[in-house]
Amino acid sequence: MSAFVTASRFIGDLDDEFYADELQRDIWNEASAVGFQSLLWIGLISGAVLPFAAGVTGAWIALGLFLVLMSVSLVVSGYARVRGVDMYAAQKLRRSRIAFAGLLFFLAGAGAALRLLAHYGGGNLQFLWIGAAIGAPVGLAAGVVGIKNRRRQVRETELAADRAELLGFDPSK
């Protein structure tokens, strides 16, 4: 077991006897998912509003929220991936809730950047627009390529496992 999984199991207290009861564990896992999603939505909405409602202080708080949310999201998706579940391959990503979350991320990032550049950059925002014009399409393209490559890898792995099963070969032995 990797250090990441060991640390995650310790943080989540996954070896507690509480998890021995399957129904209890399933309900707790669902409740944890609801809590995680609530944390994300509350953080996204707060991060999108704070730069506009609370000025420079709100922009810094929005950036802090963004870092916390990204850290938690990376731990969740990383743990799932290590355990064999890839959310990018296992679910449809073209959904309205994902588009709305992306819009909130954009509002939080753009709002914080605009507020902080206006405050610390002397109001010279031309570099922000140049960076956004270059960075947004490049970042979007990199994300699309990464997701497509990951889905291709998952399909190839599944096909290899299916072929091995048809030939009677067990790759785990």
Side-chain angles (χ1 to χ4, degrees), residues 18-40:
F18 171 84
Y19 290 102
D21 181 285
E22 193 170 328
L23 177 62
Q24 204 166 274
R25 181 177 63 238
D26 285 345
I27 292 170
W28 181 254
N29 287 339
E30 287 178 3
S32 296
V34 170
F36 172 64
Q37 291 295 321
S38 297
L39 172 71
L40 284 176

Side-chain angles (χ1 to χ4, degrees), residues 43 46-51 56-67 69 108-109 111-112:
S46 299
V49 170
L50 278 167
V56 173
T57 302
W60 284 114
I61 294 170
L63 289 176
L65 281 171
F66 177 77
L67 291 175
L69 292 176

